[in-house]
Amino acid sequence: MVYQYDICSFLILSLILVSLILRKIYYGKQHRIFLIFVIVLLLNTLCDMASSAPLSALSSSARYAVREVGTFVYFILHASILPLFTIFMGLSAGTWYKYIGTHKSVKILFCLPYAINIAAVLSNPWTHAIYRIVDGEYQRGDLILLTYIVGFIYALHSIIYLKKFRGVLDRTSIFAFVSIYPYTILAVILQYIYPNNMLEMFAYSVAVMTMMIFVIRPEKMLNLAVGSKTMAAFWGDVKNIFLSERNVNFYIIKVNSDSSIIKLYGINMHDLIMRELVARINAKVRSKLAKSVLYDVYYLNYGLFAVSVEGKYASGDMADLLYEAVSEKIHTDKFDLSLECAVCEIAVPRDMKSFEDVMNFIDTFEKSSAVTGVFIYEKLTQQEKIKMSFDIDRYIRKAIENNSFQMYYQPIYSVKDNKFVTAEALIRLNDDEVGFISPADFIPAAEKSGAIYDIGNFVIDSVFKFINKVEKYGVQYIEINISAMQCMSDSFVEEIKGKLMQYGVSNKSVNFELTESASEILDDVLRRTVTLLHAEGIEFSIDDYGTGYSNLHRIMSEPIKIIKIDRSLICGLSDDKARAVLADTIKMIKAIGIEIVAEGVETKETAQWLIDMGCDYIQGFYYAKPMPEDQYIEFLQKIS
Ligand code: C2E
Ligand code: CA
Ligand code: CA
């Protein structure tokens, strides 16, 4: 017998085992099963040697004992290899629970062949059905085929599994798992042709090495800087939770001033703080859950954390506890710091039906900058969800499908003409389920989802169609809000030109409003669009002036006709200092020859003061609220 291959196998497997232990790759079910798999193969290799090595130095009775024990343990361990492999594959894909289901009968069915195999080996000392030791040498028993059949059944399980869930595993993992078949088949064939070469264990050890290289990737799963699982691990786990139809509660934790922490203290201190937070989160969760309950803590970047707890173990006050843990003062040797945070509990699949829903939720939660406190998703009202922009995409899609957006018009008073010669077009969404949804809530969501292009087209079509109906009342132009995202689209200029033609609208009849925040990022693409449209004779306004950081010097160099001073600056006019600042602002804008619209004017006094200061146009509830088309026409008829 040639057992050199077993020695090679022994070396490979012990190296892998040492590497797993030294690198502490035994957390999590997947890694633990892999560790057991390696140990079983290692012992199996030893038994293989014991049952076939020459052992000529031993007395015949000692040799008999070694053979007998070695072979017995060999068959017990050997029976476990393929079941363990299948389970390891299932846990790596994360869909093991889906495959094996929750029914006891399925589990029993899966274990049955294994149990029969083990029973046959256990009874072998009496039956000698599997093997016998004759003259100190191994001989096959009559039922040896049974072990092959059982092995085949588990190989079949693993193949069915791979076929069923191949979409869940990445390519490298599939490669590693599939490689076990050619390795072992080749080994069995070679062993058949050259019976003296014991290749099977060697084939397994090469397969394990392949898995070690391709499947076990702790660096992808663990964020060593903060001591938690990574974002990649999070998305993988979320996907698997849906696939295996488990109930899991997530606690999403957001630290609001994350970017300021990086800017002020640097990335190293930031990581230290995040590390401290992970430690606190871990301690809190552990103190709350029984020792045997598994949970995970993930760092999703940008001051965003997630904790997952199996649904049935999640307790009612977990979100509050996590909030406490994160907002408690952080002491460093240089400074103390209190962080503002928000915690939201979501239950999957109760609150979110798909992987995409969770993705959208995390995205909006991360960006809803103002929220702090504790939220239980299930308990939020529909309006609260919309305020936090959760779920809003659904209503936008619905409104687009049902064509249920509506345009309102808010007349704007011209001081020079002493007439309402213009109006701002404002979109409205009235949902039949939840009622009125403010554009201030759905426009940002639409920009994120891309629905802004459909909405933008609707706005342009509606306004262009409408303009001809009001020109006869002396309306000179309509102000249309344009999102910077629309302007970034390459086809925007051509579309506008086409629509002006299509509806027979003059370029002088429209004025596009871009928000100040858009004008701040007036980058090459946006600037090109503005320049091209300006060349076509379309004028632009800067909206919400005073809410950002733009300076007049920059605006001066852009083709801007009007600046709309934001409502927040107009509201504070009872304050002397605010009034002085605004007076100066108006003076500066006038000095560079740009016209001014004052927004959000609600009282006669404010309107008069702004007129005295030299504002060209006044817009606000004092004169008129936004109104639907027919009312706007009535309004115009009444005053003309
Ligand atoms: P905005 O462009 O600054 O529009 C002015 C907002 O102020 C409107 O709110 C208007 O109803 C409100 N407003 C006007 N006068 C007064 C007043 O005297 N007092 C108070 N408290 N509010 C006044 P609205 O219609 O809710 O729109 C909110 C924002 O949504 C708009 O702010 C604009 O940024 C966006 N938006 C509205 N319609 C469109 C649209 O068709 N396209 C795009 N891209 N954005 C739109
Ligand atoms: Ca506007
Ligand atoms: Ca505005």
Side-chain angles (χ1 to χ4, degrees):
M1 285 277 180
V2 182
Y3 58 97
Q4 279 86 339
Y5 291 108
D6 274 343
I7 295 177
C8 294
S9 160
F10 179 77
L11 286 175
I12 292 173
L13 290 166
S14 14
L15 264 179
I16 291 175
L17 184 65
V18 170
S19 147
L20 287 175
I21 292 171
L22 287 183
R23 289 155 67 204
K24 294 201 167 78
I25 307 180
Y26 40 70
Y27 293 116
K29 285 185 200 143
Q30 178 207 8
H31 293 160
R32 233 171 295 159
I33 286 284
F34 188 68
L35 188 74
I36 294 172
F37 189 52
V38 172
I39 292 172
V40 164
L41 284 173
L42 193 60
L43 295 175
N44 213 175
T45 305
L46 284 176
C47 293
D48 202 27
M49 286 198 260
S51 67
S52 57
L55 302 177
S56 41
L58 296 180
S59 71
S60 70
S61 61
R63 191 164 61 196
Y64 181 82
V66 171
R67 290 269 192 267
E68 186 67 59
V69 175
T71 313
F72 183 76
V73 181
Y74 172 87
F75 274 103
I76 297 270
L77 293 170
H78 194 260
S80 319
I81 293 176
L82 283 171
L84 275 174
F85 168 68
T86 312
I87 296 172
F88 170 60
M89 191 158 76
L91 290 175
S92 300
T95 43
W96 180 242
Y97 301 96
K98 170 94 174 172
Y99 185 71
I100 204 72
T102 41
H103 284 294
K104 260 220 164 72
S105 53
V106 182
K107 282 182 193 151
I108 290 172
L109 217 62
F110 180 80
C111 297
L112 196 63
Y114 178 66
I116 292 173
N117 197 351
I118 294 290
V121 178
L122 287 178
S123 61
N124 192 69
W126 299 278
T127 60
H128 298 294
I130 306 287
Y131 68 92
R132 62 178 76 225
I133 307 295
V134 178
D135 296 335
E137 293 306 326
Y138 162 84
Q139 273 183 8
R140 295 171 164 198
D142 300 333
L143 275 183
I144 186 76
L145 198 62
L146 176 82
T147 62
Y148 284 97
I149 293 173
V150 170
F152 180 72
I153 290 175
Y154 287 104
L156 211 60
H157 263 297
S158 65
I159 291 170
I160 295 171
Y161 191 94
L162 264 179
K163 196 161 161 14
K164 193 164 173 189
F165 293 111
R166 63 176 177 279
V168 184
L169 285 160
D170 53 64
R171 265 192 311 188
T172 47
S173 298
I174 292 179
F175 170 78
F177 289 134
V178 170
S179 71
I180 199 170
Y181 307 116
Y183 290 152
T184 45
I185 291 169
L186 195 68
V188 169
I189 293 173
L190 285 175
Q191 207 165 321
Y192 183 78
I193 303 171
Y194 311 104
N196 282 341
N197 289 295
M198 292 160 53
L199 277 160
E200 192 189 354
M201 296 317 296
F202 183 62
Y204 278 127
S205 68
V206 175
V208 165
M209 194 162 65
T210 317
M211 285 177 225
M212 183 73 179
I213 296 169
F214 287 94
V215 185
I216 303 288
R217 276 169 293 177
E219 69 285 355
K220 195 178 144 207
M221 296 302 160
L222 299 174
N223 181 336
L224 297 174
V226 303
S228 70
K229 289 181 97 175
T230 59
M231 174 141 79
F234 177 75
W235 290 119
D237 290 354
V238 171
K239 212 178 248 172
N240 296 333
I241 285 165
F242 279 107
L243 280 166
S244 42
E245 290 164 10
R246 278 183 296 152
N247 296 316
V248 173
N249 276 31
F250 283 105
Y251 300 87
I252 314 296
I253 306 162
K254 183 179 62 157
V255 174
N256 276 341
S257 34
D258 184 68
S259 56
S260 321
I261 298 175
I262 298 181
K263 273 186 213 139
L264 289 173
Y265 304 114
I267 195 79
N268 286 339
M269 183 52 88
H270 171 266
D271 283 358
L272 272 179
I273 292 172
M274 295 302 128
R275 198 183 179 83
E276 158 82 13
L277 295 182
V278 167
R280 286 184 189 179
I281 291 169
N282 263 309
K284 261 292 187 276
V285 181
R286 220 175 299 134
S287 73
K288 195 69 201 165
L289 296 177
K291 231 184 153 144
S292 59
V293 178
L294 293 175
Y295 69 91
D296 279 307
V297 178
Y298 308 85
Y299 182 60
L300 310 179
N301 291 343
Y302 311 117
L304 205 64
F305 303 85
V307 177
S308 70
V309 180
E310 204 69 34
K312 60 177 177 240
Y313 300 114
S315 66
D317 57 349
M318 185 69 92
D320 293 297
L321 291 173
L322 290 170
Y323 181 80
E324 259 168 47
V326 174
S327 42
E328 199 181 302
K329 205 177 241 132
I330 293 175
H331 305 282
T332 74
D333 47 358
K334 295 194 191 69
F335 55 86
D336 286 350
L337 185 67
S338 294
L339 296 172
E340 293 247 312
C341 72
V343 179
C344 189
E345 178 192 293
I346 56 172
V348 164
R350 185 194 66 201
D351 299 336
M352 317 242 148
K353 301 291 173 243
S354 68
F355 179 78
E356 284 71 32
D357 284 355
V358 179
M359 233 155 87
N360 285 334
F361 167 80
I362 303 255
D363 193 45
T364 36
F365 188 61
E366 189 199 331
K367 286 178 187 143
S368 52
S369 49
V371 291
T372 62
V374 176
F375 305 92
I376 309 293
Y377 191 84
E378 196 196 14
K379 293 190 183 146
L380 293 174
T381 66
Q382 208 48 255
Q383 279 297 345
E384 282 171 323
K385 283 181 195 165
I386 287 167
K387 263 266 151 304
M388 293 168 82
S389 347
F390 301 154
D391 232 14
I392 200 159
D393 290 332
R394 189 153 66 88
Y395 299 103
I396 296 176
R397 271 199 305 274
K398 193 168 130 195
I400 291 174
E401 275 161 26
N402 302 348
N403 207 1
S404 55
F405 286 114
Q406 232 192 321
M407 289 317 294
Y408 273 47
Y409 295 85
Q410 184 176 30
I412 297 174
Y413 175 73
S414 159
V415 178
K416 178 179 77 197
D417 301 295
N418 188 23
K419 257 181 26 184
F420 294 88
V421 297
T422 156
E424 175 171 6
L426 294 158
I427 193 163
R428 294 289 174 264
L429 170 52
N430 206 346
D431 187 83
D432 50 12
E433 255 175 89
V434 290
F436 178 71
I437 302 176
S438 165
D441 292 329
F442 73 77
I443 293 287
E447 284 175 339
K448 258 176 252 155
S449 72
I452 190 69
Y453 298 110
D454 287 332
I455 294 178
N457 277 333
F458 166 81
V459 172
I460 303 266
D461 283 324
S462 315
V463 177
F464 281 16
K465 241 183 265 174
F466 180 64
I467 283 176
N468 295 332
K469 294 187 196 158
V470 289
E471 270 169 351
K472 54 176 172 278
Y473 303 109
V475 173
Q476 294 166 359
Y477 60 90
I478 301 282
E479 301 248 354
I480 304 174
N481 291 286
I482 302 288
S483 150
M485 272 189 66
Q486 283 171 273
C487 278
M488 302 294 270
S489 150
D490 257 357
S491 50
F492 186 64
V493 175
E494 287 308 313
E495 276 168 27
I496 294 296
K497 275 161 61 179
K499 283 183 178 171
L500 286 172
M501 292 267 284
Q502 183 189 344
Y503 295 103
V505 170
S506 145
N507 50 16
K508 290 278 159 266
S509 307
V510 289
N511 192 326
F512 286 171
E513 292 188 4
L514 276 175
T515 59
E516 186 187 45
S517 51
S519 71
E520 271 163 35
I521 54 148
L522 255 185
D523 80 340
D524 298 343
V525 188
L526 193 58
R527 180 172 288 115
R528 195 174 63 219
T529 305
V530 170
T531 313
L532 284 175
L533 284 172
H534 190 251
E536 289 296 318
I538 290 180
E539 299 288 356
F540 282 84
S541 306
I542 293 292
D543 200 358
D544 302 343
Y545 181 83
T547 54
Y549 307 96
S550 65
N551 62 45
L552 282 176
H553 202 80
R554 285 255 329 260
I555 290 177
M556 226 161 66
S557 59
E558 309 294 347
I560 299 298
K561 184 174 171 227
I562 297 173
I563 284 180
K564 300 190 74 172
I565 299 178
D566 190 67
R567 187 160 63 90
S568 55
L569 268 69
I570 310 285
C571 294
L573 281 189
S574 49
D575 178 56
D576 278 350
K577 279 185 199 152
R579 221 181 319 195
V581 170
L582 187 58
D584 270 352
T585 307
I586 295 170
K587 234 178 269 163
M588 279 195 307
I589 299 173
K590 299 250 33 152
I592 55 174
I594 293 181
E595 292 185 324
I596 299 175
V597 177
E599 289 187 306
V601 177
E602 296 185 354
T603 63
K604 188 171 179 202
E605 294 72 43
T606 314
Q608 194 52 54
W609 187 83
L610 290 162
I611 291 170
D612 294 344
M613 285 296 116
C615 282
D616 305 280
Y617 300 92
I618 317 279
Q619 176 181 3
F621 293 172
Y622 168 62
Y623 289 112
K625 288 195 170 175
M627 53 190 97
E629 290 182 359
D630 42 356
Q631 279 183 35
Y632 177 44
I633 290 177
E634 277 172 33
F635 173 90
L636 292 171
Q637 282 167 342
K638 228 178 273 168
I639 57 169
S640 62

